[in-house]
Every structure is written in structure tokens, then in C-alpha cells.
Amino acid sequence: MTINDDGDLAGMLPGGLSKGALRGIVVLDITRVVAGPFCSMLLADLGATVIKIENPRDPDYARDFPPKLRAGSGEEFSGFFAQYNRNKFGLTIDLSTEDGADLLRKLVRRADVLVENFRPGTMDKLGVGYDVLRRENPRLVYTAISGYGQTGPYRRRPAYDNSAQATGGLWSMNGFPDRPPSRVGTIIGDLSATFYAVIGTLAALRESEKTGQGQLVDVSQQDSVLSLTENAVVSYTVDGKVPGPLGNEHPFVKPYELYPCKDGFVFFGGYTDKFWRLSCHLFGQPELADDPEIDTMAKRFDPEVYERRVRPLLHTWFEDKTKTELEEIVGDAVPLSAIKNIAEVVEDPQIAARDMVVDVEYPEFGELRMFGSPIKLGGTPAEPRGLAPKVGEHADTVLRALTDLDEESIALLREKGVI
């Protein structure tokens, strides 16, 4: 089995890709859990050939995360793992052995990108850090995702998503003023690092293609979270203010928050003068558009005016109507959105129109519905329907395509426990 003319293995995957914008780009994915796997998954959706490399004795422990798909035989496969590792080849390498480190060096010679999310220094200890691997392949883009980055006093600290939310400032700002701060309800530290890692990887790839020189892409979860804190940094550095939890309110834009309605809650953001005037007409009180106390945005931003006049008014507009009724009243005129749970989101017609919930058929396990790709390209669309590999599933295919190893050599590596 050999790599095709585009340098693309992905067409060999069950349900795999061969026409994406990143076709021909080979990515070695030495990551686990979310931040790294999600990064390489996005690249795979866009057509890159991604090879997930796991320790044969200690594979990605996200394989044990719920929910589980179950086969008739009793075998289980993690839906969580499947979602973040779709469209990838599976290979195992024990990098703690010299044979394993040597095998990775061989693979790097044919790769364009390597993604890892170990603590800084781990890959160096294994003899396969960036300085070593760039000698094997000067054009290699080496993307390292970590809790605190490759430099600085915290660089060797272990970290999880919550660590980044805590030290990046976001946790202190989230929640309600009269309660302890709350973490954001999703793994935003992991996810934000993912997005910056993809951006950095693509930028470095472009430079590598122009100059033949790769580089280190160093992405920190803490840095990524800090960049999501909106105006918090400048509020402190300019005005000396330390932002705290605001609940569902915005620090100065009003009305711009959650409001109760008959069957739940809606977000209403009709704060500009244009949207406010439209809202007054849509909800049957056009005279309020010219009320001298609330007729301008600056007046409505005043906390006292907002609490005394605007908030009670919105309650009267919304409280006796359902989410659907309110969305029908405003239509496309004013920003009002039903606050939906995941069950409602999965069945949402806009989500369906955008192909953001996709069905993937797993042999033995049946159908898995997962989120699709948010990256919509007109000419080379992302394809999120490929399968996630079983542990080491494609070892022979990958090693024959990307190294000069023959069947006997591969069998010897397997016998020694290297793969």
C-alpha cells in the first residue's frame, strides 16, 4: 500500500476524505482527551491525513469516556472519543523505547505537522522533541498545546481545562454577584486552545510551504482563556476595575441578557436605538420609542433607569408568551433567541440546514450522531463523517505508506511491543 499522488492516505479510510482543502497534508497526532484530538480532528475534517499515535500499553484514556456505543457482542466504543477522533488513522508506538522513538523520527520525515499535548519537556525526555525532529524534517510544523505554554515559571505544571479557567481569569468573572464564581459550563480552556492551535498550525504551514522552514507553534490553555475575557484586561489596566461575576448581564450594554417567558427563557439584545424602536412597535407600544426617559441607548444603559423602567417593561412583553411565539413576533427584525437545551438544538431546523449534526454508521455499533464541522468552505467542504480508529487499527497501512519498513520489519516491531 503506497501513498497516492497527492501524498494522501485519507481516501483509504472507511468513509475517509480525499478532496478536502488540506489534502496531501500529513499530520502526526500524539495527543489525548480533547484539546489536541479536536485540533487534529478539525484538520482531518478539512482533508488532512491524520495519524493518531497512541501508547500501545496506555492509549488515549478518553476511549473510556461516556457515552458508550455497544455492540451485540458486548464490546463498547466511546462516543466521546469517536467524535473527537473521526477521520483518523490509528497507530500505536511506544515512544519510551529507542525503536519507538526511531520509528517516530522515520514518520516525521514524511509528515507536514506534528501535534502533541504533553507537559513541556516530555517529548524532549523521550528523545523526540522539536529540536530533534526539525533536524529530521526542517519544514515540520510542530504544534504543542499545553496548560501554560513552553516558557515561563508555570510551564511544567500539570493542568486541566479548569486550571486554565482558574488562572486565565474567566472563572473569577463567571456566575452571579451574590454567589461564588462558577466555571464555564463547557471545557472552554481546552476548546479555545484547540482553535488557536488550528489557526497557528495553518499559518505555520503557509510559511513552511513558502520558505521550506517549519516552526514551533506554542499554544497555552491559560493564554487562550485570557484572550476570551473580552474587556477585562483593559478595564483593569485603564480604569483599575477588577471585573467580577455579572450573572446574565453585560457590564454596560442593556438590555442584553436572559429574560423569563411562559415556557422558559429567551435572550433579548434589542439595545441599539434601531432595535429598541422596532421592539416597541412589535410589542404594541410604539409610543415608548419616543419616551424621553428611555428613547436613547445611553439612557437605557443607565443601571437605575434600566432596573426601574426597562427590565419591568420587558417582563410584561415576554412573560405571557412562549419562546416560539416570541421568535415569531420579532421574526428577522430584532435579536431575540430562545434559550434551548441540547435536545432542542439537535432538532433545530437551522442546525439541520447547516449540517451541524451528522450521522455516522459504525460497524458493529450502529449509528452515532455527533456535531458536524462549523467550517463551511464553498469549493472544498469539510467532511466530518469519517470514523475514529480502534487502537492501532491502521498500523500496517500507515507504516508501509510512510516508511521503508517491509512486512517482516513491521512484524518484528509488533513482536517487541513497540507498536
Side-chain angles (χ1 to χ4, degrees), residues 30-32 53 95 115-123 126 128 142 144-147 150 155:
I30 314 178
T31 68
R32 53 175 59 194
I53 299 173
L95 293 176
V115 185
E116 57 101 337
N117 63 346
F118 293 110
R119 253 191 277 184
T122 300
M123 293 286 278
L126 295 169
V128 287
Y142 185 108
I145 304 170
S146 60
Q150 304 297 307
R155 63 186 292 266

Side-chain angles (χ1 to χ4, degrees), residues 13 17 37-38 40-45 48 50 52 80-89 356 358 360 362 369-374 382-389:
L13 275 172
L17 306 180
F38 193 14
S40 58
M41 183 218 84
L42 290 170
L43 299 175
D45 280 0
V50 176
K52 184 174 181 68
F80 183 102
F81 177 87
Q83 179 170 253
Y84 288 112
N85 291 279
R86 65 194 184 208
N87 289 327
K88 300 179 186 179
F89 285 91
M356 277 306 300
V358 298
V360 178
Y362 269 79
R369 303 187 77 194
M370 64 179 77
F371 63 69
S373 175
E383 179 51 70
R385 289 185 167 84
L387 306 183

Side-chain angles (χ1 to χ4, degrees), residues 9 26-30 49-53 88-91 107 398 402:
L9 273 168
V26 175
V27 179
L28 303 179
D29 171 14
I30 314 178
T49 297
V50 176
I51 300 157
K52 184 174 181 68
I53 299 173
K88 300 179 186 179
F89 285 91
L91 172 66
L107 290 168
V398 169
L402 297 181

Side-chain angles (χ1 to χ4, degrees), residues 249-271:
E249 297 185 33
H250 190 274
F252 55 86
V253 172
K254 301 174 187 298
Y256 191 86
E257 61 172 297
L258 166 152
Y259 301 92
C261 63
K262 190 173 182 179
D263 64 345
F265 300 91
V266 294
F267 160 73
F268 175 71
Y271 69 88

